[in-house]
């Protein structure tokens, strides 16, 4: 005997906005094109939307009274999605470059890494400089602090210190952010 096949549960897509009958407020402020703006009873507002063959969409539920717009809901959703995409595209991604030191880093290595950090800051990236203490080198915490302070002083005109050197485990870390971000081409 074959068992009856079970259907997968239906997915319910939750709408981000309350529309038409889902609006629970008694009074709403109505806005939109070809509509006299004002505060209306919910039934009257829904009737106004039906008369124009459009939807009543609650755009600001936390306002008193809630703000509703009379629009075509699918077009409204499309425009909102488009705005979100545009905002996401214009957002700049923060790039963090790391520079590693040992507690006994020599002057030449230090200068070399300083030049790299200057280039990173000129490009608009943040810099995480850290001193990695290996084995018993943790005894020389003061060397790490001096090294990172010297590093921060060397980069004063290109970036500003976001967080002072602090020890986390066997790593002492310093964050630097660029002073002026030049736009990438």
């Amino acid at each position: 005997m074959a068992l009856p096949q079970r259907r997968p549960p239906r997915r319910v897509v939750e709408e981000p906005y309350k529309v038409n009958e889902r609006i629970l407020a008694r009074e709403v402020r109505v806005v939109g094109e070809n509509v006299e703006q004002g505060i209306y009873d919910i039934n009257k507002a829904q009737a106004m939307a039906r008369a124009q063959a459009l939807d009543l969409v609650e755009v600001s539920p936390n306002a008193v009274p809630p703000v509703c717009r009379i629009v075509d809901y699918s077009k409204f959703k499309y425009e909102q999605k488009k705005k979100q995409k545009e905002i996401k595209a214009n957002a700049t991604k923060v790039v963090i470059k790391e520079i590693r030191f040992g507690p006994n880093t020599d002057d030449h290595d230090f200068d070399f890494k300083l030049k790299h950090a200057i280039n990173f800051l000129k490009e608009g990236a943040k810099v995480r400089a850290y001193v990695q203490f290996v084995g018993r080198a943790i005894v020389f915490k003061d060397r790490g602090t001096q090294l990172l302070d010297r590093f921060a002083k060397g980069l004063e005109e290109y970036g500003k210190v976001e967080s002072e050197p602090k020890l986390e485990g066997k790593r002492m870390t310093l964050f630097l952010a660029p002073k002026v971000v030049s736009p990438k081409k």
Side-chain angles (χ1 to χ4, degrees), residues 127-154:
V127 175
R128 176 191 297 143
Y130 65 92
V131 178
Q132 184 74 41
F133 296 101
V134 183
R136 291 193 53 210
I138 196 78
V139 176
F140 304 109
K141 289 181 213 154
D142 55 327
R143 280 192 198 168
T145 308
Q146 290 169 0
L147 191 71
L148 291 177
D149 286 340
R150 199 170 107 206
F151 188 70
K153 279 192 182 101

PDB file of all heavy atoms in Angstrom, residues 127-154:
ATOM      1  N   VAL A 127      43.723  50.987   7.985  1.00  0.00           N
ATOM      2  CA  VAL A 127      44.913  50.181   8.242  1.00  0.00           C
ATOM      3  C   VAL A 127      44.847  49.618   9.653  1.00  0.00           C
ATOM      4  O   VAL A 127      44.589  50.347  10.603  1.00  0.00           O
ATOM      5  CB  VAL A 127      46.206  51.028   8.072  1.00  0.00           C
ATOM      6  CG1 VAL A 127      47.429  50.219   8.465  1.00  0.00           C
ATOM      7  CG2 VAL A 127      46.337  51.529   6.650  1.00  0.00           C
ATOM      8  N   ARG A 128      45.070  48.303   9.728  1.00  0.00           N
ATOM      9  CA  ARG A 128      45.179  47.644  11.037  1.00  0.00           C
ATOM     10  C   ARG A 128      46.637  47.228  11.169  1.00  0.00           C
ATOM     11  O   ARG A 128      47.098  46.338  10.441  1.00  0.00           O
ATOM     12  CB  ARG A 128      44.289  46.410  11.114  1.00  0.00           C
ATOM     13  CG  ARG A 128      44.462  45.640  12.422  1.00  0.00           C
ATOM     14  CD  ARG A 128      43.797  44.279  12.432  1.00  0.00           C
ATOM     15  NE  ARG A 128      42.370  44.406  12.290  1.00  0.00           N
ATOM     16  CZ  ARG A 128      41.602  43.562  11.584  1.00  0.00           C
ATOM     17  NH1 ARG A 128      42.136  42.548  10.952  1.00  0.00           N
ATOM     18  NH2 ARG A 128      40.309  43.747  11.512  1.00  0.00           N
ATOM     19  N   ALA A 129      47.352  47.895  12.060  1.00  0.00           N
ATOM     20  CA  ALA A 129      48.747  47.547  12.306  1.00  0.00           C
ATOM     21  C   ALA A 129      48.798  46.763  13.600  1.00  0.00           C
ATOM     22  O   ALA A 129      48.153  47.143  14.575  1.00  0.00           O
ATOM     23  CB  ALA A 129      49.590  48.813  12.420  1.00  0.00           C
ATOM     24  N   TYR A 130      49.530  45.660  13.590  1.00  0.00           N
ATOM     25  CA  TYR A 130      49.612  44.889  14.827  1.00  0.00           C
ATOM     26  C   TYR A 130      51.013  44.332  15.044  1.00  0.00           C
ATOM     27  O   TYR A 130      51.758  44.083  14.103  1.00  0.00           O
ATOM     28  CB  TYR A 130      48.565  43.782  14.872  1.00  0.00           C
ATOM     29  CG  TYR A 130      48.716  42.686  13.842  1.00  0.00           C
ATOM     30  CD1 TYR A 130      49.430  41.542  14.129  1.00  0.00           C
ATOM     31  CD2 TYR A 130      48.105  42.795  12.605  1.00  0.00           C
ATOM     32  CE1 TYR A 130      49.550  40.533  13.194  1.00  0.00           C
ATOM     33  CE2 TYR A 130      48.215  41.799  11.661  1.00  0.00           C
ATOM     34  CZ  TYR A 130      48.951  40.664  11.968  1.00  0.00           C
ATOM     35  OH  TYR A 130      49.075  39.665  11.037  1.00  0.00           O
ATOM     36  N   VAL A 131      51.351  44.196  16.311  1.00  0.00           N
ATOM     37  CA  VAL A 131      52.609  43.581  16.715  1.00  0.00           C
ATOM     38  C   VAL A 131      52.261  42.196  17.227  1.00  0.00           C
ATOM     39  O   VAL A 131      51.459  42.055  18.159  1.00  0.00           O
ATOM     40  CB  VAL A 131      53.313  44.405  17.814  1.00  0.00           C
ATOM     41  CG1 VAL A 131      54.596  43.719  18.244  1.00  0.00           C
ATOM     42  CG2 VAL A 131      53.585  45.811  17.340  1.00  0.00           C
ATOM     43  N   GLN A 132      52.845  41.173  16.597  1.00  0.00           N
ATOM     44  CA  GLN A 132      52.587  39.792  16.988  1.00  0.00           C
ATOM     45  C   GLN A 132      53.705  39.344  17.932  1.00  0.00           C
ATOM     46  O   GLN A 132      54.876  39.343  17.554  1.00  0.00           O
ATOM     47  CB  GLN A 132      52.554  38.897  15.743  1.00  0.00           C
ATOM     48  CG  GLN A 132      52.188  37.466  16.027  1.00  0.00           C
ATOM     49  CD  GLN A 132      50.718  37.282  16.332  1.00  0.00           C
ATOM     50  OE1 GLN A 132      49.861  37.869  15.703  1.00  0.00           O
ATOM     51  NE2 GLN A 132      50.422  36.461  17.327  1.00  0.00           N
ATOM     52  N   PHE A 133      53.330  39.012  19.150  1.00  0.00           N
ATOM     53  CA  PHE A 133      54.306  38.533  20.125  1.00  0.00           C
ATOM     54  C   PHE A 133      54.353  37.014  20.060  1.00  0.00           C
ATOM     55  O   PHE A 133      53.316  36.360  20.176  1.00  0.00           O
ATOM     56  CB  PHE A 133      53.923  38.984  21.544  1.00  0.00           C
ATOM     57  CG  PHE A 133      53.953  40.479  21.716  1.00  0.00           C
ATOM     58  CD1 PHE A 133      52.786  41.218  21.698  1.00  0.00           C
ATOM     59  CD2 PHE A 133      55.155  41.135  21.895  1.00  0.00           C
ATOM     60  CE1 PHE A 133      52.811  42.587  21.862  1.00  0.00           C
ATOM     61  CE2 PHE A 133      55.198  42.508  22.060  1.00  0.00           C
ATOM     62  CZ  PHE A 133      54.021  43.244  22.031  1.00  0.00           C
ATOM     63  N   VAL A 134      55.557  36.468  19.845  1.00  0.00           N
ATOM     64  CA  VAL A 134      55.708  35.025  19.723  1.00  0.00           C
ATOM     65  C   VAL A 134      56.497  34.505  20.919  1.00  0.00           C
ATOM     66  O   VAL A 134      57.523  35.091  21.288  1.00  0.00           O
ATOM     67  CB  VAL A 134      56.448  34.664  18.413  1.00  0.00           C
ATOM     68  CG1 VAL A 134      56.545  33.154  18.247  1.00  0.00           C
ATOM     69  CG2 VAL A 134      55.754  35.281  17.223  1.00  0.00           C
ATOM     70  N   GLY A 135      56.018  33.454  21.517  1.00  0.00           N
ATOM     71  CA  GLY A 135      56.723  32.837  22.643  1.00  0.00           C
ATOM     72  C   GLY A 135      56.859  33.784  23.823  1.00  0.00           C
ATOM     73  O   GLY A 135      55.887  34.390  24.272  1.00  0.00           O
ATOM     74  N   ARG A 136      58.096  33.960  24.312  1.00  0.00           N
ATOM     75  CA  ARG A 136      58.329  34.789  25.491  1.00  0.00           C
ATOM     76  C   ARG A 136      58.435  36.270  25.156  1.00  0.00           C
ATOM     77  O   ARG A 136      58.654  37.091  26.040  1.00  0.00           O
ATOM     78  CB  ARG A 136      59.603  34.331  26.212  1.00  0.00           C
ATOM     79  CG  ARG A 136      59.415  32.965  26.866  1.00  0.00           C
ATOM     80  CD  ARG A 136      60.509  32.634  27.828  1.00  0.00           C
ATOM     81  NE  ARG A 136      60.695  33.681  28.811  1.00  0.00           N
ATOM     82  CZ  ARG A 136      61.845  33.969  29.387  1.00  0.00           C
ATOM     83  NH1 ARG A 136      62.928  33.293  29.055  1.00  0.00           N
ATOM     84  NH2 ARG A 136      61.936  34.924  30.284  1.00  0.00           N
ATOM     85  N   ALA A 137      58.292  36.632  23.893  1.00  0.00           N
ATOM     86  CA  ALA A 137      58.402  38.039  23.484  1.00  0.00           C
ATOM     87  C   ALA A 137      57.315  38.895  24.129  1.00  0.00           C
ATOM     88  O   ALA A 137      57.427  40.120  24.153  1.00  0.00           O
ATOM     89  CB  ALA A 137      58.328  38.153  21.968  1.00  0.00           C
ATOM     90  N   ILE A 138      56.281  38.281  24.662  1.00  0.00           N
ATOM     91  CA  ILE A 138      55.179  39.008  25.306  1.00  0.00           C
ATOM     92  C   ILE A 138      55.694  39.835  26.488  1.00  0.00           C
ATOM     93  O   ILE A 138      55.049  40.782  26.925  1.00  0.00           O
ATOM     94  CB  ILE A 138      54.058  38.034  25.750  1.00  0.00           C
ATOM     95  CG1 ILE A 138      52.748  38.761  26.054  1.00  0.00           C
ATOM     96  CG2 ILE A 138      54.473  37.199  26.915  1.00  0.00           C
ATOM     97  CD1 ILE A 138      51.980  39.143  24.849  1.00  0.00           C
ATOM     98  N   VAL A 139      56.880  39.484  26.985  1.00  0.00           N
ATOM     99  CA  VAL A 139      57.501  40.220  28.088  1.00  0.00           C
ATOM    100  C   VAL A 139      57.793  41.662  27.655  1.00  0.00           C
ATOM    101  O   VAL A 139      57.771  42.576  28.467  1.00  0.00           O
ATOM    102  CB  VAL A 139      58.806  39.505  28.543  1.00  0.00           C
ATOM    103  CG1 VAL A 139      59.529  40.307  29.615  1.00  0.00           C
ATOM    104  CG2 VAL A 139      58.496  38.111  29.035  1.00  0.00           C
ATOM    105  N   PHE A 140      58.007  41.867  26.347  1.00  0.00           N
ATOM    106  CA  PHE A 140      58.376  43.190  25.830  1.00  0.00           C
ATOM    107  C   PHE A 140      57.165  43.951  25.285  1.00  0.00           C
ATOM    108  O   PHE A 140      57.209  44.466  24.168  1.00  0.00           O
ATOM    109  CB  PHE A 140      59.444  43.047  24.738  1.00  0.00           C
ATOM    110  CG  PHE A 140      60.664  42.306  25.198  1.00  0.00           C
ATOM    111  CD1 PHE A 140      60.936  41.042  24.733  1.00  0.00           C
ATOM    112  CD2 PHE A 140      61.531  42.877  26.121  1.00  0.00           C
ATOM    113  CE1 PHE A 140      62.062  40.352  25.152  1.00  0.00           C
ATOM    114  CE2 PHE A 140      62.661  42.196  26.555  1.00  0.00           C
ATOM    115  CZ  PHE A 140      62.925  40.934  26.070  1.00  0.00           C
ATOM    116  N   LYS A 141      56.102  44.018  26.063  1.00  0.00           N
ATOM    117  CA  LYS A 141      54.889  44.740  25.637  1.00  0.00           C
ATOM    118  C   LYS A 141      55.194  46.200  25.346  1.00  0.00           C
ATOM    119  O   LYS A 141      54.634  46.788  24.419  1.00  0.00           O
ATOM    120  CB  LYS A 141      53.814  44.676  26.728  1.00  0.00           C
ATOM    121  CG  LYS A 141      53.189  43.341  26.907  1.00  0.00           C
ATOM    122  CD  LYS A 141      52.123  43.431  27.994  1.00  0.00           C
ATOM    123  CE  LYS A 141      52.066  42.119  28.726  1.00  0.00           C
ATOM    124  NZ  LYS A 141      51.579  42.207  30.060  1.00  0.00           N
ATOM    125  N   ASP A 142      56.085  46.789  26.151  1.00  0.00           N
ATOM    126  CA  ASP A 142      56.415  48.209  25.986  1.00  0.00           C
ATOM    127  C   ASP A 142      57.043  48.477  24.618  1.00  0.00           C
ATOM    128  O   ASP A 142      56.801  49.522  24.007  1.00  0.00           O
ATOM    129  CB  ASP A 142      57.326  48.689  27.109  1.00  0.00           C
ATOM    130  CG  ASP A 142      58.599  47.859  27.241  1.00  0.00           C
ATOM    131  OD1 ASP A 142      58.528  46.645  26.961  1.00  0.00           O
ATOM    132  OD2 ASP A 142      59.640  48.438  27.617  1.00  0.00           O
ATOM    133  N   ARG A 143      57.816  47.526  24.094  1.00  0.00           N
ATOM    134  CA  ARG A 143      58.395  47.689  22.750  1.00  0.00           C
ATOM    135  C   ARG A 143      57.297  47.759  21.693  1.00  0.00           C
ATOM    136  O   ARG A 143      57.383  48.536  20.754  1.00  0.00           O
ATOM    137  CB  ARG A 143      59.329  46.524  22.412  1.00  0.00           C
ATOM    138  CG  ARG A 143      60.675  46.649  23.011  1.00  0.00           C
ATOM    139  CD  ARG A 143      61.581  45.615  22.384  1.00  0.00           C
ATOM    140  NE  ARG A 143      62.764  45.412  23.200  1.00  0.00           N
ATOM    141  CZ  ARG A 143      63.612  44.423  23.026  1.00  0.00           C
ATOM    142  NH1 ARG A 143      63.412  43.542  22.077  1.00  0.00           N
ATOM    143  NH2 ARG A 143      64.657  44.316  23.804  1.00  0.00           N
ATOM    144  N   GLY A 144      56.288  46.924  21.873  1.00  0.00           N
ATOM    145  CA  GLY A 144      55.156  46.919  20.932  1.00  0.00           C
ATOM    146  C   GLY A 144      54.417  48.241  20.968  1.00  0.00           C
ATOM    147  O   GLY A 144      54.062  48.804  19.933  1.00  0.00           O
ATOM    148  N   THR A 145      54.186  48.769  22.171  1.00  0.00           N
ATOM    149  CA  THR A 145      53.498  50.054  22.325  1.00  0.00           C
ATOM    150  C   THR A 145      54.306  51.168  21.684  1.00  0.00           C
ATOM    151  O   THR A 145      53.762  51.997  20.951  1.00  0.00           O
ATOM    152  CB  THR A 145      53.266  50.371  23.817  1.00  0.00           C
ATOM    153  OG1 THR A 145      52.634  49.255  24.435  1.00  0.00           O
ATOM    154  CG2 THR A 145      52.375  51.584  23.981  1.00  0.00           C
ATOM    155  N   GLN A 146      55.639  51.179  21.924  1.00  0.00           N
ATOM    156  CA  GLN A 146      56.499  52.206  21.340  1.00  0.00           C
ATOM    157  C   GLN A 146      56.485  52.127  19.814  1.00  0.00           C
ATOM    158  O   GLN A 146      56.408  53.147  19.127  1.00  0.00           O
ATOM    159  CB  GLN A 146      57.940  52.050  21.852  1.00  0.00           C
ATOM    160  CG  GLN A 146      58.123  52.407  23.296  1.00  0.00           C
ATOM    161  CD  GLN A 146      59.495  51.982  23.825  1.00  0.00           C
ATOM    162  OE1 GLN A 146      60.303  51.410  23.103  1.00  0.00           O
ATOM    163  NE2 GLN A 146      59.736  52.257  25.108  1.00  0.00           N
ATOM    164  N   LEU A 147      56.534  50.910  19.291  1.00  0.00           N
ATOM    165  CA  LEU A 147      56.546  50.698  17.843  1.00  0.00           C
ATOM    166  C   LEU A 147      55.260  51.224  17.199  1.00  0.00           C
ATOM    167  O   LEU A 147      55.299  51.960  16.208  1.00  0.00           O
ATOM    168  CB  LEU A 147      56.716  49.202  17.560  1.00  0.00           C
ATOM    169  CG  LEU A 147      57.008  48.786  16.134  1.00  0.00           C
ATOM    170  CD1 LEU A 147      58.430  49.201  15.775  1.00  0.00           C
ATOM    171  CD2 LEU A 147      56.858  47.294  15.991  1.00  0.00           C
ATOM    172  N   LEU A 148      54.126  50.894  17.794  1.00  0.00           N
ATOM    173  CA  LEU A 148      52.841  51.334  17.236  1.00  0.00           C
ATOM    174  C   LEU A 148      52.650  52.840  17.394  1.00  0.00           C
ATOM    175  O   LEU A 148      52.068  53.489  16.523  1.00  0.00           O
ATOM    176  CB  LEU A 148      51.681  50.558  17.868  1.00  0.00           C
ATOM    177  CG  LEU A 148      51.607  49.074  17.482  1.00  0.00           C
ATOM    178  CD1 LEU A 148      50.476  48.385  18.226  1.00  0.00           C
ATOM    179  CD2 LEU A 148      51.433  48.893  15.992  1.00  0.00           C
ATOM    180  N   ASP A 149      53.134  53.410  18.496  1.00  0.00           N
ATOM    181  CA  ASP A 149      53.047  54.865  18.674  1.00  0.00           C
ATOM    182  C   ASP A 149      53.890  55.577  17.621  1.00  0.00           C
ATOM    183  O   ASP A 149      53.466  56.581  17.040  1.00  0.00           O
ATOM    184  CB  ASP A 149      53.500  55.270  20.080  1.00  0.00           C
ATOM    185  CG  ASP A 149      52.471  54.927  21.151  1.00  0.00           C
ATOM    186  OD1 ASP A 149      51.291  54.732  20.785  1.00  0.00           O
ATOM    187  OD2 ASP A 149      52.850  54.854  22.339  1.00  0.00           O
ATOM    188  N   ARG A 150      55.094  55.044  17.367  1.00  0.00           N
ATOM    189  CA  ARG A 150      55.968  55.617  16.347  1.00  0.00           C
ATOM    190  C   ARG A 150      55.315  55.510  14.959  1.00  0.00           C
ATOM    191  O   ARG A 150      55.377  56.423  14.139  1.00  0.00           O
ATOM    192  CB  ARG A 150      57.302  54.867  16.363  1.00  0.00           C
ATOM    193  CG  ARG A 150      58.417  55.620  15.696  1.00  0.00           C
ATOM    194  CD  ARG A 150      59.747  54.937  15.973  1.00  0.00           C
ATOM    195  NE  ARG A 150      60.169  54.291  14.749  1.00  0.00           N
ATOM    196  CZ  ARG A 150      60.956  53.238  14.675  1.00  0.00           C
ATOM    197  NH1 ARG A 150      61.391  52.663  15.772  1.00  0.00           N
ATOM    198  NH2 ARG A 150      61.302  52.730  13.524  1.00  0.00           N
ATOM    199  N   PHE A 151      54.638  54.386  14.720  1.00  0.00           N
ATOM    200  CA  PHE A 151      53.929  54.143  13.465  1.00  0.00           C
ATOM    201  C   PHE A 151      52.798  55.170  13.288  1.00  0.00           C
ATOM    202  O   PHE A 151      52.629  55.750  12.224  1.00  0.00           O
ATOM    203  CB  PHE A 151      53.372  52.712  13.472  1.00  0.00           C
ATOM    204  CG  PHE A 151      52.794  52.255  12.178  1.00  0.00           C
ATOM    205  CD1 PHE A 151      53.600  52.001  11.089  1.00  0.00           C
ATOM    206  CD2 PHE A 151      51.423  52.053  12.051  1.00  0.00           C
ATOM    207  CE1 PHE A 151      53.057  51.557   9.891  1.00  0.00           C
ATOM    208  CE2 PHE A 151      50.880  51.618  10.872  1.00  0.00           C
ATOM    209  CZ  PHE A 151      51.702  51.367   9.785  1.00  0.00           C
ATOM    210  N   ALA A 152      52.037  55.401  14.369  1.00  0.00           N
ATOM    211  CA  ALA A 152      50.924  56.364  14.326  1.00  0.00           C
ATOM    212  C   ALA A 152      51.453  57.778  14.082  1.00  0.00           C
ATOM    213  O   ALA A 152      50.852  58.547  13.312  1.00  0.00           O
ATOM    214  CB  ALA A 152      50.126  56.306  15.623  1.00  0.00           C
ATOM    215  N   LYS A 153      52.577  58.132  14.703  1.00  0.00           N
ATOM    216  CA  LYS A 153      53.171  59.463  14.497  1.00  0.00           C
ATOM    217  C   LYS A 153      53.631  59.643  13.060  1.00  0.00           C
ATOM    218  O   LYS A 153      53.504  60.721  12.487  1.00  0.00           O
ATOM    219  CB  LYS A 153      54.345  59.676  15.462  1.00  0.00           C
ATOM    220  CG  LYS A 153      53.913  60.082  16.848  1.00  0.00           C
ATOM    221  CD  LYS A 153      55.090  60.567  17.683  1.00  0.00           C
ATOM    222  CE  LYS A 153      54.636  60.909  19.086  1.00  0.00           C
ATOM    223  NZ  LYS A 153      54.956  59.864  20.052  1.00  0.00           N
ATOM    224  N   GLY A 154      54.171  58.583  12.480  1.00  0.00           N
ATOM    225  CA  GLY A 154      54.629  58.632  11.090  1.00  0.00           C
ATOM    226  C   GLY A 154      53.490  58.805  10.101  1.00  0.00           C
ATOM    227  O   GLY A 154      53.682  59.267   8.977  1.00  0.00           O
TER     228      GLY A 154
END
